């Protein structure tokens, strides 16, 4: 991660797409003028639900607001299902500037009246910075409890207060200001630490000017027409009126005769409120009761929910366990319409008192089940743990409660909803792609074919298999993807084949991060690391990750300047070549840390903005994205999130991409790098990464796609599907040519071990809950790196539990990464033993995990049926069977077994 990484809670990305498309519009949303970064918020506007042709039931009146009388002896099925949804809350951000008790000082107050853990991320603009860059404020301005963010910003938590005019509880922070002619403005954004969302003003940082000059910036707070005292670039800032007082009647002071009267400037106070919309998790439920009508022998279903507003049931029936959607015969409830001859949609009727809604449905007796999902508006669909709700009818309704729940939970991914594309079977389409992959596998495994094909041809076929898998993953993923690599039933040979691709390496790689946050301070890190090459090779590492090699504004290397200048704080270019050659001699591949998202400029433009580059790549401001508010770029809009400390490079420009490809190829040839660790890839589209990797042909590549996990009121959610989906989407955008650091697994391990909640280590489908559970061959797992640990400590792994983390990483699929500080510590012998076991049992990035136990105090799993692992203080022993288990490694709260040979 780059040098100004803030903390593990970063930007919040958009939700995964829902499975249903081409729907009639209900309750359309209207845009709100306030935005947050990176996604624009919408506030609800309401429209009346369109009423369609309806049918009436002969037995019950659908307009009744009372539930049908179901005697307990008549009920075949009764269940209440939890519904989890997001609701948008509207509130306000307040900004107030007023004189303090000391009339020579002023006070800036920023508040928010929505619940949350709010953080003010702020800094100042100095006059000679032309208002485009942030700086640290003077120490006397910084409120108690603040945290310094590098050398450019402050983070201050907002505290609860009841000082608002309406009397409601608000969160606010106060900043003391003394008149200072060097400070032009205060800039800030508001961050909700629970969700990781950053709130901005009209897509830009909030700006409160402290000096008066003309300008029309849309992000100004408390704007007033200025007097134009500050010309030029400073004219872009405008907000507060600086008054020149010609008399000596200052508040709280008496005039002194005989003194020379000097012009005094004072700020003018203001109070401004801005709208804010926040998404919060809300728990609701729906209850379903089933009985059989003795007169008609049909099934009667009563649905009742506490969901607010208009709720539409998208429903159908099925005859057997294939769960194929069909439309039951009329009569149907009122407010029902047919959807594409595949399903029905019914508007539930409001209950008495307006709290909740309900509906009654009739199903013929020859159907075996009732299928449905719920719709609240155009973009809000609710289902059951990623699948359609399935209500068993007939004898299945008499199953014991526990067995019935198990059947619901185990509903497979092959079920068809009534909204599939017309004339296309998902199963048939899936089978077609799988058949294609199997044909390629058969082709390459055939002895006769092998004799005819060259090695190059075989590698081409392997690459094609990887691409087909990535394509299938993209086509069939949903908000809860059901496709995993294990679906591709490739023959498992006794000796797993060595398959080289840039996304996986050989599949058996073990990565060492070869530096920490302080490594640059010696000035000769390359030479120090060179001395450890033989030892790292003997420990079993196959790949080494070196720090950024280029000249950099920051000593750690993550603010690159001249990309072709390889004289850094870690050593010079000759020492870099030497250390790479030394590791090659001991059989270790070497990755270069490539910072492609941003670059520090050499010169200012005519407005005093640093966006003109020098050196061999002497780009101008066309190479900078146009929507970064700090650097006045003339390129296209960014394809990702901005990194505000340096100009964000516009990768859509042909000359930029060509120069970067040429530079990467030069590094491969000149230095001997075997691959790349790519910094801050969230800042630009993964398709550009594919372009760079196709050109430079690395042995191995991994991207750092880091953003916030999902939290509810400060507690990590069990379901992190949305988070790992965003990482998987980026990998897929690269066409699988790069892996990605499995931040999801890092976060879940962190929480599980820290809070003794080992149940978190299994998702709802019984698989590992991180990227390693969905696309293991592209997951690079880790527990610590130079940002999270070392002297930075932004998200340090729970102390004393590091070896539990490595017991998990080094026995599970994915490509494990071990942090330098942990290797050369008292953990060395235990890490070495785990690496040896991994190699001995040929555990690789595609190994198969079977989770045996995931409870409060213990997690246990078997891998490839040859390795068993237990972490946590709880008890577990692998089951005895035809193959005996031998305990080979044991440490504090972890054990590892292997099958006795």
């Amino acid at each position: 991660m780059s040098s100004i990484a803030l903390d593990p809670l970063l930007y919040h990305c958009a939700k995964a797409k829902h499975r249903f498309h081409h729907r009639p519009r209900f309750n359309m949303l209207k845009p709100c003028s306030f935005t947050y970064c990176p996604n624009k918020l919408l506030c609800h506007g309401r429209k009346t639900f369109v009423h369609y042709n309806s049918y009436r039931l002969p037995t019950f009146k659908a307009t009744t607001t009372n539930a049908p009388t179901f005697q307990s002896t008549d009920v075949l099925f009764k269940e209440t299902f939890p519904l989890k949804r997001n609701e948008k809350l509207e509130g306000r951000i307040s900004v107030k500037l007023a004189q303090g008790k000391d009339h020579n000082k002023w006070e800036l107050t920023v508040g928010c009246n929505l619940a949350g853990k709010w953080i003010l991320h702020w800094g100042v603009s100095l006059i000679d910075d032309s208002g485009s860059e942030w700086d640290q404020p003077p120490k006397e301005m910084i409120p108690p409890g603040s945290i310094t963010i590098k050398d450019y910003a402050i983070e201050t938590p907002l505290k609860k207060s009841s000082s608002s005019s309406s009397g409601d509880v608000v969160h606010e922070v106060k900043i003391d200001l003394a008149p200072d002619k060097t400070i032009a403005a205060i800039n800030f954004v508001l961050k909700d630490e629970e969700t990781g969302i950053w709130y901005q003003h009209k897509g830009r940082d909030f700006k409160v000017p402290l000096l008066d000059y003309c300008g029309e910036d849309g992000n100004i707070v408390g704007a007033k027409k200025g007097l134009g005292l500050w010309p030029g670039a400073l004219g872009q800032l405008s907000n507060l009126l600086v008054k020149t007082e010609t008399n000596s009647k200052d508040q709280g002071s008496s005039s002194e005769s005989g003194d020379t009267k000097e012009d005094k400037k004072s700020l003018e106070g203001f109070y401004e409120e801005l709208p804010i919309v926040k998404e919060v998790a809300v728990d609701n439920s729906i209850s379903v009761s089933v009985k059989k009508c003795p007169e008609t022998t049909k099934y009667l279903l009563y649905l009742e929910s506490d969901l607010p507003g208009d709720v539409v049931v998208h429903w159908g029936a099925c005859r057997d366990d294939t769960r194929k959607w069909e439309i039951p015969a009329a009569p149907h409830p009122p407010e029902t319409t047919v959807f594409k001859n595949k399903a029905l949609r019914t508007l539930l009727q409001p209950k008495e008192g307006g709290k909740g809604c309900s509906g009654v449905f009739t199903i013929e007796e020859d159907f075996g089940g009732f299928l449905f999902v719920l719709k609240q508006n155009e973009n809000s669909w609710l289902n059951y743990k990623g699948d359609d709700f399935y209500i068993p009818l007939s004898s299945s309704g008499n199953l014991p409660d526990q067995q019935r729940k198990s059947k619901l939970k185990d509903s497979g991914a092959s079920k068809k909803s009534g909204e599939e594309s017309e004339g296309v079977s998902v199963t048939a389409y899936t089978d077609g792609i799988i058949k294609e992959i199997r044909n390629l596998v058969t082709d390459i495994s055939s002895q006769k074919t092998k004799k005819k094909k060259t090695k190059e041809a075989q590698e081409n076929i392997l690459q094609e298999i990887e691409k087909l898998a990535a394509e299938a993953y993209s086509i069939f993923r949903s908000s809860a993807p059901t496709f995993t690599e294990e679906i591709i039933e490739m023959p498992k040979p006794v000796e797993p084949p060595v398959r080289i691709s840039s996304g996986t390496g050989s599949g058996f790689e073990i990565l060492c991060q070869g530096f920490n946050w302080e490594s640059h301070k010696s000035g000769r890190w390359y030479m120090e690391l060179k001395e450890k090459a033989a030892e790292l090779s003997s420990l079993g590492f196959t790949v080494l990750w070196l720090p950024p090699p280029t000249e950099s504004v920051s000593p750690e290397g993550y603010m690159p300047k001249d990309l072709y200048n390889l004289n850094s704080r870690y050593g010079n270019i000759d020492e870099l070549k030497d250390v790479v050659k030394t590791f090659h001699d001991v059989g270790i591949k070497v990755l270069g840390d490539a910072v492609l998202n941003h670059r520090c400029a050499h010169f200012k433009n005519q407005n005093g903005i640093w966006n003109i580059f020098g050196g061999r790549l002497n780009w101008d401001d066309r190479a900078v994205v146009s929507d970064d508010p700090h650097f006045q770029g003339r390129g296209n809009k960014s394809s990702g999130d901005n990194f505000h400390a340096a100009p964000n490079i516009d990768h859509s420009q042909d000359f930029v991409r060509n120069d970067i490809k040429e530079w990467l190829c030069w590094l491969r040839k000149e230095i001997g790098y075997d691959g790349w660790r790519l910094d801050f890839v969230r800042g630009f589209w993964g398709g550009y990464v594919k372009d760079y990797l196709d050109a430079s042909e690395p042995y191995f590549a991994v991207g750092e796609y880091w953003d916030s996990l999902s939290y509810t009121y400060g507690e990590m959610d069990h379901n992190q599907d949305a988070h790992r989906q965003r990482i998987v989407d980026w990998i897929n955008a690269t066409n699988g040519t790069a892996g990605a650091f499995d931040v999801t697994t890092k976060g879940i391990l962190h929480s599980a071990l820290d809070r003794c909640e080992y149940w978190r280590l299994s998702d709802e489908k019984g698989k590992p809950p991180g990227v390693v559970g969905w696309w293991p061959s592209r997951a690079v797992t880790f527990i610590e790196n130079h940002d999270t640990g070392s002297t930075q400590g932004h998200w340090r792994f729970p102390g004393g539990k590091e070896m539990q983390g490595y017991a998990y990483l080094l026995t599970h699929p994915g490509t494990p990464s071990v942090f330098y500080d942990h290797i050369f510590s008292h953990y060395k012998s235990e890490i070495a033993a785990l690496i040896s076991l991994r190699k001995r049992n040929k555990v690789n990035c595609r190994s198969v995990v079977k989770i045996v136990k995931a409870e409060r105090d213990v997690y246990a799993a078997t891998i490839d049926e040859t390795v068993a692992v237990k972490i946590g203080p709880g008890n577990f022993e692998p089951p005895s069977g035809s193959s005996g288990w031998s305990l080979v490694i044991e440490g504090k709260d972890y054990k590892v077994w292997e099958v006795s040979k």
Side-chain angles (χ1 to χ4, degrees):
M1 183 178 287
S2 32
S3 62
I4 68 157
L6 303 182
D7 56 31
L9 296 182
L10 301 176
Y11 290 87
H12 178 75
C13 294
K15 301 292 182 186
K17 294 181 180 178
H18 297 283
R19 294 186 299 156
F20 303 98
H21 307 284
H22 310 299
R23 311 177 176 105
R25 295 177 174 241
F26 306 117
N27 292 343
M28 296 300 294
L29 301 177
K30 297 178 180 179
C32 175
S33 62
F34 181 78
T35 60
Y36 71 89
C37 181
N39 301 313
K40 294 184 178 178
L41 289 175
L42 301 174
C43 65
H44 288 282
R46 299 185 57 80
K47 289 188 178 180
T48 305
F49 181 86
V50 179
H51 292 174
Y52 296 90
N53 294 332
S54 59
Y55 305 87
R56 292 196 173 274
L57 294 170
T59 309
F60 299 101
K61 291 183 179 181
T63 56
T64 182
T65 55
N66 297 319
T69 303
F70 282 11
Q71 301 295 330
S72 59
T73 55
D74 299 334
V75 176
L76 302 175
F77 178 97
K78 187 173 183 179
E79 192 79 54
T80 298
F81 301 94
L83 298 173
K84 294 186 179 296
R85 63 187 181 87
N86 290 328
E87 187 175 84
K88 290 181 171 63
L89 298 182
E90 297 183 9
R92 66 182 185 275
I93 292 176
S94 59
V95 184
K96 177 183 178 182
L97 183 68
Q99 272 193 324
K101 295 179 181 179
D102 181 349
H103 294 297
N104 293 324
K105 292 187 178 180
W106 287 72
E107 188 176 71
L108 177 67
T109 304
V110 179
C112 180
N113 71 336
L114 290 180
K117 191 174 181 180
W118 298 100
I119 301 290
L120 189 74
H121 182 83
W122 64 286
V124 300
S125 293
L126 302 179
I127 289 179
D128 55 1
D129 286 338
S130 302
S132 62
E133 298 174 352
W134 287 28
D135 287 285
Q136 292 278 11
K139 291 183 179 179
E140 58 270 18
M141 283 179 60
I142 302 176
S146 300
I147 298 174
T148 301
I149 305 299
K150 300 297 184 296
D151 59 352
Y152 78 100
I154 297 293
E155 287 197 346
T156 306
L158 276 65
K159 297 181 180 180
K160 286 186 178 180
S161 170
S162 58
S163 61
S164 66
S165 57
S166 59
D168 58 341
V169 175
V170 299
H171 299 76
E172 63 181 23
V173 63
K174 298 180 185 293
I175 299 173
D176 291 329
L177 305 175
D180 188 338
K181 296 180 181 179
T182 65
I183 299 178
I186 292 179
N187 309 285
F188 69 88
V189 291
L190 199 61
K191 182 174 77 169
D192 184 359
E193 196 169 38
E194 293 176 349
T195 62
I197 297 176
W198 298 64
Y199 293 85
Q200 294 182 301
H201 184 31
K202 299 179 181 178
R204 301 175 62 183
D205 305 335
F206 291 84
K207 186 181 293 293
V208 179
L210 304 182
L211 297 176
D212 177 50
Y213 32 86
C214 297
E216 299 299 330
D217 282 9
N219 60 334
I220 296 295
V221 182
K224 297 180 184 295
K225 187 175 181 181
L227 301 175
L229 298 177
W230 301 93
L234 293 180
Q236 296 173 3
L237 294 172
S238 65
N239 189 309
L240 300 174
L241 182 62
V242 181
K243 292 184 175 180
T244 303
E245 299 186 359
T246 57
N247 58 57
S248 59
K249 295 180 180 179
D250 249 352
Q251 294 183 16
S253 65
S254 60
S255 59
E256 300 180 10
S257 60
D259 286 352
T260 303
K261 294 182 180 181
E262 297 178 355
D263 288 346
K264 297 182 180 180
K265 300 179 187 295
S266 65
L267 301 176
E268 184 174 295
F270 70 87
Y271 178 80
E272 187 168 335
E273 291 185 352
L274 301 149
I276 181 174
V277 180
K278 174 183 176 181
E279 283 193 356
V280 297
V282 179
D283 291 327
N284 293 103
S285 63
I286 185 166
S287 299
V288 185
S289 301
V290 182
K291 69 169 289 186
K292 199 166 188 179
C293 178
E295 293 83 7
T296 64
T297 68
K298 294 183 178 182
Y299 295 106
L300 301 177
L301 290 91
Y302 176 68
L303 272 64
E304 181 180 21
S305 177
D306 59 354
L307 286 168
D310 294 332
V311 178
V312 175
V313 181
H314 180 93
W315 62 284
C318 61
R319 299 185 184 276
D320 51 40
D321 287 340
T322 60
R323 311 229 177 136
K324 179 180 179 181
W325 283 58
E326 294 184 33
I327 296 179
H332 301 144
E335 316 296 353
T336 296
T337 180
V338 178
F339 180 81
K340 293 186 177 182
N341 293 321
K342 293 180 178 293
L344 297 169
R345 285 181 170 174
T346 299
L347 174 65
L348 295 182
Q349 301 299 309
K351 295 167 61 178
E352 287 184 0
K355 294 184 178 180
C357 52
S358 63
V360 180
F361 303 78
T362 61
I363 306 293
E364 295 94 322
E365 62 178 337
D366 55 344
F367 284 104
F370 179 78
L371 300 161
F372 72 96
V373 291
L374 300 172
K375 180 176 183 179
Q376 277 196 295
N377 56 53
E378 187 68 21
N379 298 307
S380 179
W381 290 75
L382 302 172
N383 56 24
Y384 183 70
K385 297 183 178 180
D387 291 317
D388 306 329
F389 287 94
Y390 170 72
I391 307 302
L393 305 174
S394 184
S395 58
S396 60
N398 296 318
L399 291 172
D401 188 63
Q402 198 64 31
Q403 186 178 350
R404 187 167 67 239
K405 287 182 180 179
S406 175
K407 186 173 181 179
L408 282 166
K409 184 176 181 180
D410 294 338
S411 56
S414 63
K415 298 189 295 295
K416 301 177 184 179
S417 79
E419 203 161 327
E420 292 174 14
S421 300
E422 296 183 12
V424 179
S425 166
V426 170
T427 303
Y429 194 41
T430 307
D431 290 344
I433 289 184
I434 293 175
K435 183 178 179 181
E436 209 174 336
I437 295 174
R438 285 176 177 162
N439 288 340
L440 287 169
V441 174
T442 303
D443 186 27
I444 198 169
S445 61
S446 167
Q447 292 299 323
K448 184 177 179 180
T449 305
K450 282 183 179 179
K451 293 177 182 178
K452 295 181 179 180
K453 291 187 175 292
T454 65
K455 182 179 179 181
E456 181 181 359
Q458 293 178 30
E459 289 179 354
N460 288 338
I461 294 175
L462 289 171
Q463 291 287 342
E464 191 63 29
I465 292 172
E466 294 281 356
K467 291 178 182 178
L468 280 168
E471 180 184 350
Y473 202 97
S474 175
I475 293 171
F476 296 113
R477 72 177 187 270
S478 66
S479 58
T482 56
F483 177 84
T484 64
E485 282 194 356
E486 287 72 26
I487 291 176
I488 305 173
E489 298 176 2
M490 298 178 64
K492 187 175 180 182
V494 177
E495 293 290 334
V498 176
R499 298 165 51 185
I500 305 298
S501 75
S502 56
T504 62
S506 68
F508 295 85
E509 310 303 341
I510 302 174
L511 175 64
C512 164
Q513 180 176 2
F515 63 100
N516 61 30
W517 193 248
E518 302 296 316
S519 296
H520 66 90
K521 290 186 176 179
S522 70
R524 56 182 306 274
W525 183 251
Y526 293 147
M527 294 299 95
E528 293 180 22
L529 194 59
K530 174 184 174 181
E531 298 171 359
K532 301 184 182 297
E535 184 176 5
L536 289 171
S537 177
S538 67
L539 290 173
F541 290 102
T542 65
V543 180
L544 176 76
W545 161 19
L546 286 180
T550 56
E551 174 199 16
S552 170
V553 172
S554 63
E556 297 82 13
Y558 288 102
M559 301 281 280
K561 198 172 181 182
D562 183 354
L563 299 186
Y564 280 90
N565 182 350
L566 301 189
N567 295 318
S568 70
R569 299 289 183 90
Y570 301 100
N572 59 41
I573 185 172
D574 293 329
E575 292 170 334
L576 175 58
K577 291 179 181 179
D578 190 13
V579 73
V580 170
K581 182 181 182 302
T582 300
F583 276 95
H584 284 170
D585 290 344
V586 297
I588 294 180
K589 306 287 186 182
V590 179
L591 305 184
D593 201 327
V595 183
L596 305 181
N597 174 76
H598 50 272
R599 182 183 170 197
C600 292
H602 293 71
F603 312 105
K604 295 181 180 181
N605 67 1
Q606 66 274 14
N607 295 324
I609 305 301
W610 292 91
N611 62 12
I612 307 299
F613 305 91
R616 183 165 164 180
L617 303 182
N618 54 347
W619 302 333
D620 59 16
D621 52 6
R622 292 174 300 159
V624 179
V625 297
S626 61
D627 53 349
D628 185 336
H630 298 85
F631 295 103
Q632 298 182 1
R634 291 194 297 124
N636 297 314
K637 289 186 176 181
S638 176
S639 58
D641 295 325
N642 282 334
F643 179 88
H644 289 299
N648 285 252
I649 300 305
D650 179 12
H651 293 264
S652 70
Q653 303 284 359
D654 289 340
F655 74 89
V656 169
R657 289 200 311 279
N658 290 337
D659 283 347
I660 289 178
K661 286 187 283 188
E662 183 179 342
W663 176 63
L664 292 173
C665 292
W666 176 78
L667 287 175
R668 287 272 277 138
K669 181 179 180 181
E670 184 72 17
I671 305 302
Y673 283 132
D674 301 286
W676 315 113
R677 181 267 185 186
L678 302 171
D679 182 68
F680 199 77
V681 296
R682 203 179 78 243
F684 56 103
W685 179 48
Y688 297 134
V689 171
K690 179 185 181 301
D691 198 14
Y692 299 144
L693 300 186
D694 286 346
S696 60
E697 299 181 334
Y699 172 86
F700 185 80
V702 55
E704 181 211 30
Y705 191 100
W706 191 300
D707 68 353
S708 170
L709 279 79
S710 300
Y711 292 80
T712 302
Y713 300 115
E715 183 173 344
M716 181 182 288
D717 295 341
H718 178 217
N719 188 326
Q720 295 293 337
D721 286 355
H723 185 267
R724 58 176 168 175
Q725 183 68 62
R726 293 193 291 274
I727 299 176
V728 164
D729 286 346
W730 179 83
I731 300 171
N732 195 62
T734 74
N735 204 25
T737 56
F741 287 108
D742 192 349
V743 181
T744 318
T745 291
K746 148 78 171 172
I748 294 172
L749 266 176
H750 188 117
S751 185
L753 274 60
D754 188 43
R755 301 164 62 100
C756 198
E757 295 175 342
Y758 291 81
W759 48 266
R760 292 182 178 275
L761 295 174
S762 175
D763 68 11
E764 294 177 348
K765 294 185 181 295
K767 292 185 176 295
V771 177
V772 76
W774 281 357
W775 205 343
S777 70
R778 299 305 189 276
V780 178
T781 55
F782 71 106
I783 64 169
E784 209 83 290
N785 63 26
H786 61 294
D787 280 313
T788 67
S790 190
T791 55
Q792 282 216 101
H794 283 319
W795 197 18
R796 197 180 302 280
F797 202 73
K801 299 182 180 180
E802 289 87 353
M803 284 312 305
Q804 287 188 62
Y806 282 122
Y808 183 95
L809 263 56
L810 290 167
T811 58
H812 279 58
T815 299
S817 175
V818 184
F819 185 40
Y820 183 88
D821 290 10
H822 294 158
I823 299 169
F824 296 99
S825 71
H826 59 285
Y827 296 135
K828 182 193 291 186
S829 60
E830 292 177 89
I831 290 173
L834 286 168
I835 292 175
S836 177
L837 173 132
R838 183 181 183 89
K839 286 177 166 285
R840 186 165 64 246
N841 289 276
K842 297 181 173 60
V843 177
N844 59 83
C845 70
R846 296 180 178 84
S847 289
V848 178
V849 177
K850 181 181 179 182
I851 297 176
V852 181
K853 214 171 188 181
E855 300 175 357
R856 183 188 64 82
D857 61 349
V858 65
Y859 166 87
T862 60
I863 298 87
D864 289 343
E865 300 181 352
T866 61
V867 173
V869 61
K870 184 275 292 191
I871 62 174
N875 295 319
F876 171 79
E877 295 290 331
S880 57
S882 56
S883 299
W885 292 95
S886 299
L887 179 63
V888 290
I889 306 172
E890 182 176 5
K892 180 174 174 54
D893 289 337
Y894 78 91
K895 292 182 179 180
V896 184
W897 298 262
E898 63 183 356
V899 171
S900 302
K901 299 294 190 290

